[in-house]
Structures are given as C-alpha cells and as structure tokens.
Amino acid sequence: MQLFLSYPTLYADICVTYATLSLSYFALSSQSAFSWQSEAWKRVAFGLLSGLALYYLIPDRLDVSTHLFFNFEMIPIILVTFFGGWLSGVTSFLVNVALTEPLSLDNLLIASVLVPLLLLRVWRHKTHRLFYRAIILIAFYRMALAYSQPLRVPWYDVLFYQCAVTGCLAACYHALNFAERHIHAYFSLRDRATIDSLTRLNNRTSIDFKLMSLQAHQKPGGLLLIDIDNFKQVNDTHGHLVGDQLLVQLSEVLMQSLDSADFAGRYGGEEFIVITDRHNTGPIVETAERIRQAMSASVLRLAEGASLSVTVSIGAAIYLPGMAMNKAVEMADDALYQAKRNGKNQVMCSRIMQLDQLGDGPG
C-alpha cells in the first residue's frame, strides 16, 4: 500500500504548504495588509512564492492510474487565488506548468478547477461557505475523475489522500484567514492613530514623530509649511463641507506632486507640512513651486455647475544637524507668514535659505 507507508512525507507536505504560504503572506504584509487589492508586484510575488511550495510538493505524489496522479500542488494555487486574486492564482499556475509537463492530465485538471474560481472571482466574495462549497466540489470532481480511470492503488488510498488534501486546504485557509483578519485589524488601528481621517495623510502625531526622528538621527531635510489662502472666507461663503473638499483636494495635489520618499501630513486646520530628504535650496523651492502651481491649476466642482479655485502660500525652511527642530519649524512658519503678508499664492524661503541662495553661483 503506497500511501500508508508515507505518513512522514504526507505530514511534511502539509507543513511545507502551510509554512510557505503563511510566511509569504506575512512578508508581503510588512508595510500594509496584503490582499487582492494590493500592488500588482505583491500579487505576482505571492504567486511566485507559492512556487517554492510547488517545487517541493510536485515530486511527492500518489499515482492513481497510468495518466493520473494526486499530489498537493493544487493547494497553493487554490489558496493564493482566494487570498491574492486572479493575478496570484494565474502566476502560481504558470509556475506549476513550468515545473511540470505543460500538457499533462494533472495540469488540465488544475486548470479545470482554477478557471471556475477565476470566473466566480472568489477573492471578492471570500466566505467560509463559498470556500467549503468550492473544496467539496473539487474533492468530488477529483474522486470522480480518479474512478473513471483504471486504478493502480486501492480505492481507500485514493479516498484517504483526497481527505488529506481537503483537510490541508481547510487548515491553511483558516490559518491565512486568521492572519488576514488580525493583520487588517492591526493596520486599521495603526491608521487611526497615525493617519488623518479626512485627507488620508499623516496626522499631527505622525508629523511630530517624523520631526523627532530627523532630529534624533541628525538627518538634514527640507520643511514646507503650506496654507490654503482665504480658507476662512471659503468656509463662511460655501460651508464647511466645501472646505473639507478643498482639504482633500490639496492632499491629492500633494500626493501627485511629491516623490515617494517625501513625507506629507496635515499639520492642523488648513495647514499642511511636507518633509523632504533634500536640504538644498533649489530642489526644495522646485518642489514648493510644483505644489503651488498644481493647486492654482486645480478646480473644485461645486453643485449646480459652479466651480471654485483656490491658491496656497508656502513657507520653506531647512533643518540641519545641530539645529533645534522647533527652530526649523518656526523659520518655516515665519516664511509662510511672510508669503501671506506679501500677497499670498507664493513661496517664501527662510532667512537661512535666502543666504544659501546668495551663495549659489558659478564655480
């Protein structure tokens, strides 16, 4: 009896499947909760990482008939489809095809299972009921296919192996589902503590931590304080709902205008802050001007076809190692006040940056 002599192999296959998928899921959730809505490269990576399990699982198989065999290779493909979406599932299947005979009966069987899952978009409607319906149908389908072939092993070996596969699928599904719920809960709590609920930018707590981190590590950087011009008048004329829409619009302008390494947050009210790794006057002013021009060009559509366009004033400063961070922020605030007093809709640099500009010259 081929199967009952291989309990250690069966146990090892279950452990490898669970460990590979769980570790891959945790690794891809290091910065944000992984899901079928994650970046494309993460979903492809989830499918590729499942290939590590496939590489181990493929040699361990139960030869059911001359042309058909059972092994655990279907498990990672099904699970990454449920948790990573179609891109993860297709990637995992292609890895499996690359590691085996492309037109084998086993690959055709896996494709015939995968296609309905893709058409049903199981990752969008992932529930325990849907999952168990799927794996029960898959189990009956595989058993029916096995019994349509002249068996090379006793029928109870086939039944036992299929039960092991189904049990492994269920165990791994619930383990990943448990991890998914708790990781999503963790990032949700973290966002509530560090993200502004209206603009989805960093909140004051995150800003203060970022500023303290710069000072603690003695890292130079650029500071931009950004304030919407005539914001109180907008609130008084159009209402606070329109004011909130303007805040969201500015946050979108910031995200589109900044580099990925830049840090943006809502400092308070209609005031925003940008912290950059660049500490030379030229690049900082270029960033500020890009934001100012983008905001001037943006238009907020109001009810009944009306529109509203506002400008921003920006105060720029630099933080250098050895400075007090509150002094750098104060200089940016003074520059912002100067921009407001000079007519608004402009960028003003702190005194240190103005001296730096005087020193910029040929040679």
Side-chain angles (χ1 to χ4, degrees), residues 13 24 47 52 87 136 152 156 199 202 222 227 233 251 297 334 337:
D13 286 349
S24 300
L52 296 175
L87 191 54
I136 289 171
R152 296 175 57 182
Y156 45 80
T199 62
N202 295 286
D227 191 86
Q233 182 180 340
S251 70
D334 289 343
Y337 175 76

mmCIF file of all heavy atoms in Angstrom, residues 13 24 47 52 87 136 152 156 199 202 222 227 233 251 297 334 337:
data_model
loop_
_atom_site.group_PDB
_atom_site.id
_atom_site.type_symbol
_atom_site.label_atom_id
_atom_site.label_comp_id
_atom_site.label_asym_id
_atom_site.label_seq_id
_atom_site.Cartn_x
_atom_site.Cartn_y
_atom_site.Cartn_z
ATOM 1 N N ASP A 13 4.579 17.452 3.622
ATOM 2 C CA ASP A 13 3.917 18.227 2.570
ATOM 3 C C ASP A 13 2.940 19.239 3.171
ATOM 4 O O ASP A 13 2.864 20.393 2.720
ATOM 5 C CB ASP A 13 3.161 17.297 1.621
ATOM 6 C CG ASP A 13 4.100 16.525 0.701
ATOM 7 O OD1 ASP A 13 5.299 16.872 0.673
ATOM 8 O OD2 ASP A 13 3.640 15.583 0.035
ATOM 9 N N SER A 24 4.926 33.768 3.392
ATOM 10 C CA SER A 24 4.807 34.666 2.243
ATOM 11 C C SER A 24 3.786 35.758 2.522
ATOM 12 O O SER A 24 4.022 36.940 2.219
ATOM 13 C CB SER A 24 4.390 33.874 0.997
ATOM 14 O OG SER A 24 5.334 32.888 0.678
ATOM 15 N N GLY A 47 2.167 34.694 -5.881
ATOM 16 C CA GLY A 47 2.100 33.531 -6.757
ATOM 17 C C GLY A 47 3.454 32.873 -6.953
ATOM 18 O O GLY A 47 3.569 31.638 -6.961
ATOM 19 N N LEU A 52 7.657 28.063 -4.452
ATOM 20 C CA LEU A 52 8.607 27.378 -3.578
ATOM 21 C C LEU A 52 7.977 26.114 -2.996
ATOM 22 O O LEU A 52 8.626 25.066 -2.897
ATOM 23 C CB LEU A 52 9.046 28.311 -2.446
ATOM 24 C CG LEU A 52 9.814 29.574 -2.859
ATOM 25 C CD1 LEU A 52 10.082 30.452 -1.643
ATOM 26 C CD2 LEU A 52 11.115 29.190 -3.542
ATOM 27 N N LEU A 87 -4.456 37.385 -10.261
ATOM 28 C CA LEU A 87 -3.061 37.520 -10.674
ATOM 29 C C LEU A 87 -2.168 36.544 -9.915
ATOM 30 O O LEU A 87 -1.272 35.918 -10.497
ATOM 31 C CB LEU A 87 -2.597 38.963 -10.459
ATOM 32 C CG LEU A 87 -1.247 39.365 -11.063
ATOM 33 C CD1 LEU A 87 -1.205 39.054 -12.547
ATOM 34 C CD2 LEU A 87 -0.982 40.847 -10.833
ATOM 35 N N ILE A 136 -15.325 21.121 -1.553
ATOM 36 C CA ILE A 136 -16.120 19.881 -1.613
ATOM 37 C C ILE A 136 -16.384 19.504 -3.066
ATOM 38 O O ILE A 136 -16.255 18.328 -3.460
ATOM 39 C CB ILE A 136 -17.434 20.050 -0.823
ATOM 40 C CG1 ILE A 136 -17.147 20.092 0.676
ATOM 41 C CG2 ILE A 136 -18.394 18.904 -1.140
ATOM 42 C CD1 ILE A 136 -18.347 20.461 1.532
ATOM 43 N N ARG A 152 -4.516 2.104 -10.014
ATOM 44 C CA ARG A 152 -3.299 1.333 -9.736
ATOM 45 C C ARG A 152 -3.084 1.147 -8.240
ATOM 46 O O ARG A 152 -2.137 0.482 -7.823
ATOM 47 C CB ARG A 152 -2.083 2.054 -10.338
ATOM 48 C CG ARG A 152 -2.128 2.143 -11.852
ATOM 49 C CD ARG A 152 -0.962 2.966 -12.384
ATOM 50 N NE ARG A 152 0.328 2.416 -11.963
ATOM 51 C CZ ARG A 152 1.514 2.977 -12.271
ATOM 52 N NH1 ARG A 152 1.542 4.095 -12.978
ATOM 53 N NH2 ARG A 152 2.629 2.423 -11.853
ATOM 54 N N TYR A 156 -9.256 2.986 -1.109
ATOM 55 C CA TYR A 156 -9.186 3.709 0.155
ATOM 56 C C TYR A 156 -7.918 4.572 0.237
ATOM 57 O O TYR A 156 -7.875 5.556 0.974
ATOM 58 C CB TYR A 156 -9.272 2.756 1.357
ATOM 59 C CG TYR A 156 -8.425 1.511 1.261
ATOM 60 C CD1 TYR A 156 -7.060 1.551 1.537
ATOM 61 C CD2 TYR A 156 -9.009 0.294 0.911
ATOM 62 C CE1 TYR A 156 -6.295 0.406 1.454
ATOM 63 C CE2 TYR A 156 -8.246 -0.859 0.819
ATOM 64 C CZ TYR A 156 -6.892 -0.802 1.090
ATOM 65 O OH TYR A 156 -6.131 -1.922 1.007
ATOM 66 N N THR A 199 -8.145 63.571 5.133
ATOM 67 C CA THR A 199 -7.248 63.708 3.976
ATOM 68 C C THR A 199 -6.469 62.442 3.670
ATOM 69 O O THR A 199 -5.872 62.332 2.604
ATOM 70 C CB THR A 199 -6.244 64.837 4.220
ATOM 71 O OG1 THR A 199 -5.430 64.507 5.358
ATOM 72 C CG2 THR A 199 -6.960 66.152 4.479
ATOM 73 N N ASN A 202 -0.643 61.822 6.754
ATOM 74 C CA ASN A 202 -0.170 61.652 8.120
ATOM 75 C C ASN A 202 -0.774 62.723 9.028
ATOM 76 O O ASN A 202 -0.925 63.883 8.620
ATOM 77 C CB ASN A 202 1.352 61.742 8.155
ATOM 78 C CG ASN A 202 2.017 60.600 7.406
ATOM 79 O OD1 ASN A 202 2.049 59.466 7.881
ATOM 80 N ND2 ASN A 202 2.535 60.883 6.222
ATOM 81 N N GLY A 222 14.374 69.163 4.275
ATOM 82 C CA GLY A 222 13.647 70.379 3.937
ATOM 83 C C GLY A 222 12.249 70.364 4.530
ATOM 84 O O GLY A 222 11.622 69.294 4.638
ATOM 85 N N ASP A 227 -0.344 76.549 3.436
ATOM 86 C CA ASP A 227 -1.613 77.033 3.984
ATOM 87 C C ASP A 227 -2.522 77.485 2.843
ATOM 88 O O ASP A 227 -2.076 78.177 1.914
ATOM 89 C CB ASP A 227 -1.360 78.204 4.932
ATOM 90 C CG ASP A 227 -2.605 78.563 5.728
ATOM 91 O OD1 ASP A 227 -2.826 77.949 6.776
ATOM 92 O OD2 ASP A 227 -3.351 79.453 5.280
ATOM 93 N N GLN A 233 -12.750 82.410 4.523
ATOM 94 C CA GLN A 233 -13.765 83.015 3.655
ATOM 95 C C GLN A 233 -14.520 81.948 2.867
ATOM 96 O O GLN A 233 -15.739 82.042 2.683
ATOM 97 C CB GLN A 233 -13.089 84.001 2.699
ATOM 98 C CG GLN A 233 -14.047 84.741 1.774
ATOM 99 C CD GLN A 233 -13.316 85.703 0.848
ATOM 100 O OE1 GLN A 233 -12.192 86.100 1.114
ATOM 101 N NE2 GLN A 233 -13.974 86.040 -0.262
ATOM 102 N N SER A 251 -4.676 67.590 -0.437
ATOM 103 C CA SER A 251 -3.960 66.346 -0.109
ATOM 104 C C SER A 251 -3.676 65.541 -1.373
ATOM 105 O O SER A 251 -2.594 64.948 -1.513
ATOM 106 C CB SER A 251 -4.765 65.511 0.887
ATOM 107 O OG SER A 251 -5.928 64.961 0.293
ATOM 108 N N ALA A 297 -3.856 75.456 -10.448
ATOM 109 C CA ALA A 297 -4.474 74.951 -11.675
ATOM 110 C C ALA A 297 -5.657 74.031 -11.407
ATOM 111 O O ALA A 297 -6.451 73.755 -12.310
ATOM 112 C CB ALA A 297 -3.430 74.213 -12.509
ATOM 113 N N ASP A 334 7.559 81.395 9.909
ATOM 114 C CA ASP A 334 7.826 82.811 9.629
ATOM 115 C C ASP A 334 7.818 83.084 8.133
ATOM 116 O O ASP A 334 7.294 84.109 7.668
ATOM 117 C CB ASP A 334 9.183 83.211 10.219
ATOM 118 C CG ASP A 334 9.162 83.268 11.743
ATOM 119 O OD1 ASP A 334 8.046 83.313 12.309
ATOM 120 O OD2 ASP A 334 10.245 83.247 12.352
ATOM 121 N N TYR A 337 4.261 83.118 6.952
ATOM 122 C CA TYR A 337 3.634 84.393 7.323
ATOM 123 C C TYR A 337 4.066 85.505 6.359
ATOM 124 O O TYR A 337 3.256 86.345 5.952
ATOM 125 C CB TYR A 337 4.016 84.757 8.763
ATOM 126 C CG TYR A 337 3.523 86.104 9.213
ATOM 127 C CD1 TYR A 337 2.184 86.306 9.550
ATOM 128 C CD2 TYR A 337 4.401 87.191 9.303
ATOM 129 C CE1 TYR A 337 1.727 87.550 9.959
ATOM 130 C CE2 TYR A 337 3.947 88.446 9.706
ATOM 131 C CZ TYR A 337 2.616 88.611 10.041
ATOM 132 O OH TYR A 337 2.161 89.855 10.438
#
